[in-house]
Amino acid sequence: MLDGSIRRALASLALGVGLLSSEAARAEAPCPAVPALTVRRYAGRVGHYIADLKTSFAEHELYSPATAITRANYRAVLDGLLNGAGVNGVRLPIVPAYGAEADYPPLYRDTYAYARGLGLTIYASPMSVGMKPFVGWSDDRYASWIAGYAAAFRPDVLSPFNEAGLDNRRIARITGLVRAKLTVPVLLMGPDRQHVARSAESLARDPAVAALFDIVGSHNADRDESATAPAWEALVAAANGRPVWSSENPALWSRGQVDGLPGMDQAVEGGVEGVVAWMAKPGLVDGTGRPTAKACEIAAGLLR
């Protein structure tokens, strides 16, 4: 039996290269004109529409020619995400193998700088699923790694976790250490668990965990059938006044990553204030920055 990460990888790759069998039979949504960043508005309570570029860097296990950002295309990709797909931010990875800014390749640093120059919000989170890359690390070392990235790159939003699978006690301990070590202003988002219903139930049982973060985030990866508007509403309630983000969303607008799963519209109807679109290249734009059918469908529902 395939485990969750493999299932998600296969489904994500299928979506990214446009191989979902039902997709060819559907009419493409028109791609609306995208307002300037300074006046852009989104549906519902959404203020942040983020393009996830984690798989566009060679360190990611799902990196491929289809997902890749290169020296030749990174400007076109970012321009297309901003002006064609209609995002106002990007998600970039914190790479476990790198401990200092100088360790990051020039392409990463140039991509970051160009995104910042375009006025895009920068959201950073670990390039990992769970804690496997951090075996043998103490909580202090892990927190220092997260805070060190923040000091070097100064993202706007920072997640200490990525589907970490930790209990609430350890989530609290590590988050407290991160806060103590931060030397720059940044919004912390978490816990970023898989599956919306589980996230809502966990925070409802332990409200103190939501209080650790400036933004409460949940993924709806790995065939999350629970990512419906009522489940997102329950997470918003459990967040106790803090904004909630759909912090890794693989869905199209009105349908899921695969048929039968909830769409991104459910997160918006449920009251989220941020949506992070998984695998933005090639999901939202191609290597020339041209928006895809998926990008146009989401923009038609999300842009106002």
Side-chain angles (χ1 to χ4, degrees):
M1 180 179 293
L2 297 178
D3 67 23
S5 62
I6 295 174
R7 286 198 304 271
R8 183 174 64 165
L10 292 174
S12 297
L13 287 172
L15 176 61
V17 298
L19 295 180
L20 292 181
S21 60
S22 59
E23 200 63 20
R26 294 189 174 102
E28 293 186 7
C31 213
V34 175
L37 184 62
T38 54
V39 297
R40 195 169 302 170
R41 297 292 182 271
Y42 301 106
R45 299 173 65 185
V46 174
H48 294 277
Y49 175 32
I50 307 293
D52 190 343
L53 292 174
K54 292 177 80 171
T55 63
S56 293
F57 294 94
E59 296 84 355
H60 199 282
E61 63 183 357
L62 299 183
Y63 177 83
S64 72
T67 70
I69 283 178
T70 67
R71 178 62 57 189
N73 72 20
Y74 79 94
R75 290 173 180 263
V77 167
L78 289 170
D79 288 340
L81 288 169
L82 172 64
N83 298 312
V87 310
N88 63 357
V90 292
R91 183 194 194 197
L92 298 176
I94 311 172
V95 181
Y98 302 150
E101 181 180 3
D103 295 334
Y104 284 79
L107 178 60
Y108 182 99
R109 287 179 271 137
D110 290 346
T111 299
Y112 192 107
Y114 191 66
R116 181 65 84 195
L118 292 174
L120 294 168
T121 294
I122 307 294
Y123 163 40
S125 68
M127 184 183 275
S128 62
V129 177
M131 300 295 284
K132 186 176 179 179
F134 312 106
V135 172
W137 290 32
S138 68
D139 290 349
D140 189 79
R141 177 183 174 187
Y142 184 88
S144 295
W145 172 66
I146 295 288
Y149 178 92
F153 286 97
R154 296 176 176 256
D156 302 292
V157 180
L158 179 71
S159 285
F161 310 104
N162 189 72
E163 301 175 13
L166 303 177
D167 61 35
N168 284 343
R169 183 177 300 178
R170 194 167 177 206
I171 290 282
R173 183 165 63 246
I174 292 174
T175 304
L177 287 169
V178 170
R179 281 206 181 274
K181 293 173 182 292
L182 285 172
T183 59
V184 295
V186 63
L187 297 174
L188 287 186
M189 177 158 60
D192 285 334
R193 291 188 167 99
Q194 272 192 13
H195 292 199
V196 181
R198 288 207 297 260
S199 295
E201 291 164 4
S202 174
L203 293 184
R205 289 195 307 269
D206 193 351
V209 175
L212 299 170
F213 300 100
D214 303 296
I215 303 168
V216 170
S218 176
H219 295 188
N220 53 293
D222 192 25
R223 299 186 63 89
D224 186 3
E225 297 178 357
S226 78
T228 62
W232 286 111
E233 289 171 357
L235 184 58
V236 169
N240 197 26
R242 286 167 174 76
V244 169
W245 281 26
S246 172
S247 49
E248 185 179 292
N249 195 315
L252 291 83
W253 176 249
S254 58
R255 58 193 185 277
Q257 176 185 26
V258 294
D259 285 340
L261 298 181
M264 189 180 287
D265 61 338
Q266 295 295 291
V268 177
E269 289 178 24
V272 304
E273 298 184 34
V275 179
V276 181
W278 167 249
M279 198 180 278
K281 180 181 183 291
L284 300 184
V285 296
D286 64 18
T288 70
R290 181 177 59 184
T292 63
K294 175 182 176 179
C296 295
E297 180 192 353
I298 292 173
L302 188 59
L303 284 172
R304 290 291 180 265

